[in-house]
Amino acid sequence: MVSRAWCRPLCAGAPRCLPGWGSAAFSSRSPSSSTSDEILKEKRAQIMSRGLPKQKPIEGVKQVLAFASGKGGVGKSTTAENLMRPLKNYGIACMSMGFLIEESAPVVWRGLMVMSAVEKLLRQVDWGQLDYLVIDMPPGTGDVHLSVSQNIPVTGAVIVSTPQDIALLDARKGAEMFRKVHVPSREGTPGLGIKFADHFWKRCRARTRVLGLVQNMSVFQCPKCKHETHIFGANGVRDLAKTLGLDVLGDVPLHLHIRETCDAGQPIVVSQPQSDMAKAYLRIANEIVKRLPPTPA
C-alpha cells in the first residue's frame, strides 16, 4: 500500500522576493554606465544567493506536495487530509504544531523561531519511508512558505479555494508565490535581449510546479428537496484557473457529512468511501498523481 503522511506547520509573516531574470537591452544610458550597472546587479545577485539555504531532500521521502491557500477557512486542511487516512489507527503518520502546545495556547513566534520549528517538523520527525509527504501550509504567503520552498525540493503545490471573490484574490497570490520561489523572475539579469528574456520567462512559467487548483465548497444540495445552491458563487476557481493557465483538479461540494466526519477524526474517504463526497476527493488525488513525475525508486 502506498504510504503517505501529513505535516502542518504554523503561520508567520511576509516573504522576501528572490533575485531573477530581466533585460538590460535598449538602455538610454552610456555604455560605461550600463556596464557598471550590470556589474553591480551581478554582484548583488551573487551576494543574495549566498544567503539562501540549500535545498536538502527529506530522508525516506520521495515526493513533497504543498497544499496552500491565500485565505484561511477555505477547506485546505480538509482537502489535504482526504488525500490520505491521517489517523494513527490507520497506520498513517501525522505531525502538527498543534500536538506540541496546549489546545488553547496561541503560537506567538517571530520568523527565526518559525523557521526552526519548520525544520524540526520536516527533519526531526521519524517519517519513515514515504512515497508522498503532504504539507498542510498555513494561510497567506509568509515565512513558512518561503522556508519550506527553499529548504526542501517540493515536487508540486496544490491551491485550494472557495469560489467567492475574496478567496480567489488570495488564491491567486498563493499560486504566484509558488511560481516566484521556484521560477526566476524577469528582473535583474543583465545582458539579455528583450525577446530572449520574454521567451525564457514564458518557458519557465510553463514549467511551474503549481499542479492546479481545487474548488472547494462549490455547491450545496438541500438534503430534502435536492435543490442545488452555489452559496459562494459558481465557477470562480475555474475562471481563475483559465487566467493563470492552470488546471482545475476537481470540485468538492459543501456538505454536512464532510464537516462531521473530519471533526470526528474519520475523514469522509474512510467513513463513507462510496459517497459522492469521498469520490470527489479521490478524483482530485488521482488528478494530482497524474501530474506528478514518476516516483523515484
Side-chain angles (χ1 to χ4, degrees):
M1 182 176 69
V2 174
S3 56
R4 305 178 180 90
W6 181 43
C7 173
R8 184 176 187 180
L10 49 116
C11 304
R16 298 166 293 171
C17 294
L18 300 180
W21 291 90
S23 172
F26 305 107
S27 172
S28 60
R29 284 180 268 186
S30 65
S32 60
S33 175
S34 177
T35 303
S36 176
D37 287 348
E38 291 176 4
I39 294 173
L40 288 174
K41 287 180 180 179
E42 187 173 353
K43 286 184 177 180
R44 182 172 59 186
Q46 290 175 352
I47 291 171
M48 291 182 70
S49 64
R50 285 188 210 137
L52 297 176
K54 293 184 178 179
Q55 285 190 342
K56 296 182 294 183
I58 302 173
E59 186 176 353
V61 176
K62 296 179 180 178
Q63 300 195 50
V64 177
L65 305 175
F67 276 61
S69 65
K71 185 178 183 299
V74 298
K76 167 180 49 59
S77 302
T78 301
T79 304
E81 290 175 359
N82 281 283
L83 295 177
M84 68 194 78
R85 291 185 257 173
L87 296 179
K88 186 173 70 174
N89 289 344
Y90 305 118
I92 302 297
C94 175
M95 175 53 66
S96 169
M97 279 302 301
F99 298 164
L100 308 178
I101 60 175
E102 293 292 332
E103 185 176 348
S104 60
V107 179
V108 187
W109 287 358
R110 293 190 181 274
L112 290 176
M113 295 179 69
V114 171
M115 288 183 274
S116 176
V118 171
E119 184 73 11
K120 286 179 170 58
L121 287 174
L122 293 174
R123 304 191 187 279
Q124 297 184 23
V125 174
D126 185 10
W127 293 114
Q129 298 298 312
L130 300 175
D131 292 310
Y132 307 106
L133 174 66
V134 176
I135 302 178
D136 175 17
M137 307 287 280
T141 54
D143 283 349
V144 171
H145 305 76
L146 195 60
S147 297
V148 169
S149 300
Q150 290 178 346
N151 281 281
I152 60 173
V154 179
T155 307
V158 176
I159 307 298
V160 181
S161 181
T162 49
Q164 79 264 40
D165 291 343
I166 190 66
L168 295 172
L169 289 172
D170 290 334
R172 180 167 190 161
K173 293 176 184 177
E176 293 296 347
M177 181 273 300
F178 276 106
R179 284 177 162 175
K180 285 186 177 181
V181 296
H182 286 298
V183 178
S185 71
R186 298 178 67 175
E187 302 171 358
T189 297
L192 293 178
I194 287 179
K195 289 184 178 180
F196 178 80
D198 287 343
H199 175 68
F200 184 85
W201 174 244
K202 289 176 182 177
R203 290 188 62 190
C204 285
R205 288 180 72 90
R207 293 196 297 269
T208 178
R209 298 189 184 199
V210 179
L211 302 178
L213 284 75
V214 172
Q215 182 163 259
N216 197 21
M217 308 180 197
S218 59
V219 64
F220 172 75
Q221 185 182 74
C222 176
K224 294 183 179 180
C225 68
K226 306 301 180 184
H227 175 73
E228 292 187 347
T229 303
H230 295 275
I231 295 176
F232 297 108
N235 295 322
V237 172
R238 294 185 181 278
D239 294 338
L240 176 61
K242 290 179 182 177
T243 301
L244 297 175
L246 296 172
D247 295 330
V248 176
L249 302 173
D251 294 73
V252 179
L254 177 62
H255 201 286
L256 179 63
H257 288 172
I258 295 177
R259 195 273 301 168
E260 289 178 337
T261 56
C262 283
D263 285 350
Q266 294 183 323
I268 199 82
V269 294
V270 175
S271 57
Q272 300 178 27
Q274 300 304 318
S275 66
D276 291 340
M277 295 82 73
K279 290 176 181 177
Y281 284 116
L282 294 176
R283 282 194 296 269
I284 291 170
N286 288 331
E287 290 297 322
I288 291 173
V289 172
K290 280 163 53 177
R291 287 164 175 76
L292 293 173
T295 304

